[in-house]
Amino acid sequence: MANTELLKHEERIYNVLAQQGTADIAMPESFVVDSWRRCIDQFGLVPKTKPKAEVLEAAALKQMQDELGEFMQVADEECRNLFKQTTQSGYVIVLTNTDGVILSMAADPALEEDFQRFNLQPGAVWNEQHHGTNGMGTCLHNHRPVIIHGDDHFFNDYRGVTCTATPIHDPHGEVMAVLDASSFQAEGSKRGQIHTRALVQMAANFIEYKYFQHYFKHASVLSFHPRYEFLGVGTESLLALDDGGLILGANASALKQLEFEDRKALIDRSLDEIFAISTEDTGKMGSSNGYGITSAQDLKSGRRFLTMFHQPPKPQRQKKARQEPLIKVPSSDNKSCLDLKSLAGNDPHMAYNVRCIRRVVDKNIYILLNGETGSGKEVFARAIHDASDRKGKPFVALNCAAIPETLIESELFGYKAGAFTGARREGMRGCVLESSGGTLFLDEIGDMPLHLQTRLLRVLETKEVLPLGSQVPVTIDLHVISATHQDLRELIALGKFRQDLFYRLNGITLKMPSLREREDLDSLIRCAIALENDGKEPISIERKAFNRLKDYDWPGNIRELCNIIRTSIALSDDNLICLADLPKEIAKPEEYVPEVDEQVASVQQDDDEVQALQYTPLENAVRETILREIEHNRWNVTVTAKKLHMTRCTLYRKLKKYNIPITPPE
């Protein structure tokens, strides 16, 4: 009888896929049919065979758990709460990462035999490729909540199981985990699982809510909802704001309430562009000691929301008595500080970057790194290369801004012997050919001349390079990581960068935070000391000196940090960095006055003329308009912003960008 049932299940799958269903064959939902087709066509699975069991080693599992950091603590707590709500129904609660690896479980120990029978354990891989159509794997593929009940499963062995799974999104809207409730007794109909789906969805929403608050713990957060009883209970909409009132992040509920389809349309906009509320008013709505409730009108829809504003608590300074007078930094192998995990440190933004990289690193996706000069783009690119399957193959870096325009073409594409006057007798392979099989890192890609952008685009599309002076193209295995400190979309608008090349290079764009934005500056300073320590003995640094390094603004970012640490170590005695070993602008900022080159100072050049050299004609026109208007309004920012039809926050950003003082010159 059992074998007959199994044959019916297998026959039903093939009949459905062949569109030969009859009246007595229940047709499943379309996403189940699509999953069955993937199981057969892509993964070569057969319903009557045993699923593939794969369990990661403990060290690999630990690394995956560590990469999610604080998220795991938030998720584990809510998984336990969900288990308490479903324990009488015999459910096991499972949390997986985006690869389908089980990170944690909450279950009744009495079901141990079932765990082993179905390979449910931390470290087990539960994607569709291994276990066919199932809650966790199918949810990961579709990025939406699913119920896989009984005969929905592909494998015969799982026909007695019911799974209810939903994705969990990070503050950027990307899926970062899946929450699943599974039972080994698929009793009743699929409709009977709707209650379980609601519980799982509520738990996932609360995890997203709590992690959003943690992710933006150093920012101000505005929560809002049309109804009072939904405020402060984990169901409301959230907007994270910086000190100037610009939106840093929004949860899914905020997008829905404000009728935005994409977070990108909200990010970097001022709060007073969304609500009829000013940043000054938000200061009256709450404090670091508690909440205050008021109302605000949505400018887009006219709806009115109840709002709560919460400012981050001010960091408490440790008592001096508890601080060690000296900090000892042991020597370290340079490579140990330069892998992806070490570069991520304890900074949420870098942790997000590393998590994205681990998902795309070997999937032939080009990577674009954006960040200030000196923020570590090349170091991060090399770490990406070392974490990929191309490790051990060439990593070739070319700075497009550091090479004269006349030489970039030959440096990039190479040339044949005798191609032009002054060429090497043996010719040159060029960076593209040298990097074949490995990684080509194009730094400051925004400075590449337009005609070379055209050639590079063709190389990326054809996977062939034609050296100068040659008639025979060479096939290459090319993977490109590019980087820039500029806004490439602005360059496209100005006609300085090809749009088609941008879309080719922009498989995924990751922003490298500046050093002053990093939340792990303490550990970065220690890492820099370890990196620059040539000797085997540990280096110590005075607490006062260490604190001055932490308080400095670091306009030159990580490059400046390493240079200063290298010089300070050289100037130090007895492997001890003192305050006197640091540059004056760091050691005694109150006394520091930048030296002015007498020759430069003697050149009587008009200030506006100097500024004009730094900007494009379009930017100069914008700068002159703003400068003329703010002078006319006697440096009143509010009046000037209204005259220019922009928000105060936007005007402040442009004043900073165009180096316009916010107070009248003396």
Side-chain angles (χ1 to χ4, degrees):
M1 185 69 176
N3 289 335
T4 302
E5 290 295 324
L6 296 181
L7 289 174
K8 283 185 178 180
H9 177 64
E10 185 172 1
E11 182 181 0
R12 174 177 175 242
I13 290 176
Y14 287 114
N15 283 344
V16 167
L17 295 182
Q19 297 183 342
Q20 297 174 354
T22 59
D24 60 336
I25 298 179
M27 291 295 292
E29 294 165 282
S30 60
F31 73 88
V32 174
V33 177
D34 292 339
S35 177
W36 287 353
R37 184 169 285 110
R38 286 193 299 273
C39 291
I40 293 174
D41 295 345
Q42 295 184 28
F43 309 135
L45 304 180
V46 179
K48 64 183 177 182
T49 60
K50 293 290 182 182
K52 301 175 184 178
E54 180 182 353
V55 182
L56 301 185
E57 295 181 356
L61 174 61
K62 180 68 165 54
Q63 181 178 351
M64 289 181 173
Q65 293 169 335
D66 290 345
E67 285 175 1
L68 291 176
E70 295 292 334
F71 171 80
M72 286 298 300
Q73 296 181 18
V74 173
D76 280 345
E77 181 179 356
E78 192 55 32
C79 284
R80 290 192 293 269
N81 291 336
L82 179 60
F83 173 66
K84 291 177 182 178
Q85 298 178 63
T86 59
T87 183
Q88 299 300 323
S89 304
Y91 282 93
V92 54
I93 308 304
V94 179
L95 182 74
T96 80
N97 67 3
T98 52
D99 294 320
V101 178
I102 296 179
L103 300 175
S104 65
M105 294 170 49
D108 187 345
L111 300 176
E112 180 67 30
E113 291 186 6
D114 290 319
F115 298 160
Q116 294 179 0
R117 180 160 58 96
F118 291 105
N119 190 36
L120 273 175
Q121 58 178 304
V125 182
W126 266 79
N127 53 30
E128 286 188 334
Q129 187 172 353
H130 287 77
H131 291 274
T133 306
N134 70 90
M136 293 167 277
T138 305
C139 175
L140 276 173
H141 184 275
N142 292 312
H143 288 188
R144 50 161 281 191
V146 299
I147 298 176
I148 304 297
H149 182 73
D151 288 342
D152 287 342
H153 288 87
F154 181 81
F155 282 114
N156 289 333
D157 285 359
Y158 298 152
R159 292 176 60 241
V161 178
T162 182
C163 310
T164 301
T166 192
I168 301 173
H169 299 86
D170 67 15
H172 302 280
E174 299 291 331
V175 174
M176 66 182 305
V178 164
L179 182 63
D180 174 86
S182 294
S183 173
F184 304 123
Q185 297 179 350
E187 298 177 349
S189 67
K190 190 170 185 176
R191 184 176 294 274
Q193 301 302 313
I194 292 178
H195 174 69
T196 304
R197 181 174 67 182
L199 291 177
V200 174
Q201 186 65 60
M202 287 173 59
N205 290 344
F206 195 71
I207 292 172
E208 291 179 1
Y209 174 85
K210 295 293 290 183
Y211 187 61
F212 184 97
Q213 290 182 319
H214 169 77
Y215 189 88
F216 291 110
K217 62 185 177 183
H218 297 301
S220 301
V221 175
L222 179 74
S223 56
F224 60 96
H225 199 277
R227 296 171 60 181
Y228 172 82
E229 61 268 26
F230 287 99
L231 280 177
V233 295
T235 57
E236 69 267 36
S237 305
L238 301 175
L239 293 177
L241 310 168
D242 69 5
D243 294 338
L246 295 181
I247 297 174
L248 300 174
N251 67 352
S253 176
L255 294 180
K256 183 178 180 180
Q257 294 284 6
L258 297 175
E259 300 178 0
F260 281 86
E261 294 183 1
D262 192 348
R263 281 174 171 79
K264 293 180 180 178
L266 267 175
I267 303 305
D268 288 336
R269 294 185 66 173
S270 176
L271 181 65
D272 56 16
E273 296 178 37
I274 306 300
F275 287 115
I277 187 173
S278 67
T279 52
E280 287 82 359
D281 292 336
T282 59
K284 305 173 185 178
M285 296 163 58
S287 67
S288 60
N289 298 321
Y291 294 92
I293 298 178
T294 186
S295 64
Q297 186 179 24
D298 175 14
L299 296 176
K300 184 177 181 181
S301 66
R303 297 173 64 199
R304 186 163 290 278
F305 293 95
L306 293 170
T307 59
M308 289 198 309
F309 181 77
H310 185 59
Q311 296 174 340
K314 295 181 179 179
Q316 296 182 353
R317 295 184 178 180
Q318 294 182 346
K319 295 181 180 180
K320 293 184 178 180
R322 295 183 179 180
Q323 292 187 342
E324 300 175 2
L326 297 180
I327 299 174
K328 184 173 290 188
V329 181
S331 58
S332 173
D333 175 15
N334 287 1
K335 294 182 180 180
S336 66
C337 292
L338 298 177
D339 59 12
L340 283 177
K341 183 177 180 181
S342 299
L343 290 175
N346 297 316
D347 182 72
H349 201 131
M350 284 300 295
Y352 168 77
N353 288 348
V354 169
R355 187 163 66 249
C356 290
I357 289 300
R358 293 195 185 281
R359 292 165 64 177
V360 306
V361 65
D362 291 316
K363 297 184 179 178
N364 197 30
I365 294 175
Y366 290 159
I367 300 165
L368 176 62
L369 304 179
N370 185 263
E372 294 181 8
T373 300
S375 56
K377 298 187 289 293
E378 181 172 350
V379 174
F380 192 60
R382 190 176 292 274
I384 295 172
H385 171 78
D386 291 339
S388 72
D389 291 341
R390 295 173 178 263
K391 179 182 180 181
K393 301 294 180 61
F395 176 87
V396 180
L398 177 69
N399 189 317
C400 301
I403 300 175
E405 183 175 335
T406 55
L407 297 180
I408 292 182
E409 186 170 13
S410 59
E411 288 284 343
L412 191 57
F413 304 112
Y415 55 83
K416 191 178 178 182
F420 54 87
T421 303
R424 297 178 186 174
R425 296 176 60 182
E426 67 277 12
M428 190 171 80
R429 287 171 56 82
C431 292
V432 172
L433 265 177
E434 289 289 346
S435 69
S436 182
T439 301
L440 175 63
F441 176 62
L442 296 176
D443 198 6
E444 300 302 350
I445 187 69
D447 292 299
M448 178 177 284
L450 274 171
H451 72 282
L452 293 186
Q453 293 178 27
T454 304
R455 282 206 62 186
L456 176 60
L457 179 63
R458 179 161 182 79
V459 169
L460 296 179
E461 291 177 342
T462 63
K463 302 296 184 182
E464 292 181 342
V465 61
L466 185 67
L468 294 173
S470 176
Q471 302 299 321
V472 181
V474 181
T475 302
I476 53 174
D477 175 14
L478 187 62
H479 183 259
V480 176
I481 301 175
S482 50
T484 181
H485 72 281
Q486 303 182 77
D487 187 336
L488 293 186
R489 294 184 186 275
E490 285 189 8
L491 295 183
I492 291 171
L494 295 170
K496 293 185 175 182
F497 200 85
R498 290 185 62 105
Q499 189 173 38
D500 46 5
L501 178 60
F502 171 73
Y503 290 129
R504 173 68 69 174
L505 295 174
N506 183 31
I508 181 172
T509 297
L510 299 175
K511 183 180 183 301
M512 298 292 292
S514 63
L515 193 57
R516 57 188 169 278
E517 296 173 327
R518 296 282 296 256
E519 295 185 15
D520 56 350
L521 184 54
D522 188 299
S523 59
L524 283 176
I525 294 172
R526 294 171 187 265
C527 186
I529 294 174
L531 279 172
E532 299 300 335
N533 182 12
D534 293 332
K536 296 181 179 180
E537 295 297 323
I539 292 288
S540 295
I541 179 172
E542 286 182 343
R543 170 64 66 176
K544 287 183 179 180
F546 191 84
N547 288 341
R548 290 295 174 87
L549 291 173
K550 288 176 61 178
D551 293 339
Y552 184 56
D553 194 45
W554 298 111
N557 291 298
I558 295 176
R559 182 179 294 123
E560 182 185 14
L561 171 64
C562 290
N563 286 339
I564 286 176
I565 292 296
R566 187 182 307 124
T567 304
S568 300
I569 291 175
L571 294 174
S572 66
D573 295 321
D574 300 324
N575 293 326
L576 173 62
I577 300 176
C578 301
L579 195 61
D581 299 322
L582 301 179
K584 191 173 182 180
E585 63 266 29
I586 298 177
K588 296 182 178 181
E590 67 281 356
E591 300 178 7
Y592 176 67
V593 178
E595 295 182 3
V596 180
D597 190 316
E598 293 182 1
Q599 291 182 345
V600 174
S602 65
V603 178
Q604 301 299 318
Q605 190 174 21
D606 186 79
D607 287 344
D608 289 336
E609 194 174 322
V610 174
Q611 293 293 345
L613 297 175
Q614 301 178 10
Y615 307 111
T616 64
L618 178 60
E619 290 173 327
N620 273 320
V622 173
R623 182 180 186 276
E624 289 173 7
T625 301
I626 294 174
L627 184 58
R628 182 173 60 251
E629 196 65 43
I630 199 168
E631 286 177 343
H632 177 74
N633 294 302
R634 300 176 183 274
W635 268 263
N636 187 314
V637 174
T638 302
V639 174
T640 303
K642 289 181 179 179
K643 292 283 187 180
L644 295 173
H645 302 288
M646 63 178 66
T647 65
R648 292 170 69 251
C649 291
T650 301
L651 179 56
Y652 275 122
R653 289 203 307 272
K654 292 187 180 296
L655 291 175
K656 181 178 180 181
K657 176 180 178 180
Y658 296 120
N659 198 26
I660 300 174
I662 61 175
T663 57
E666 296 180 359

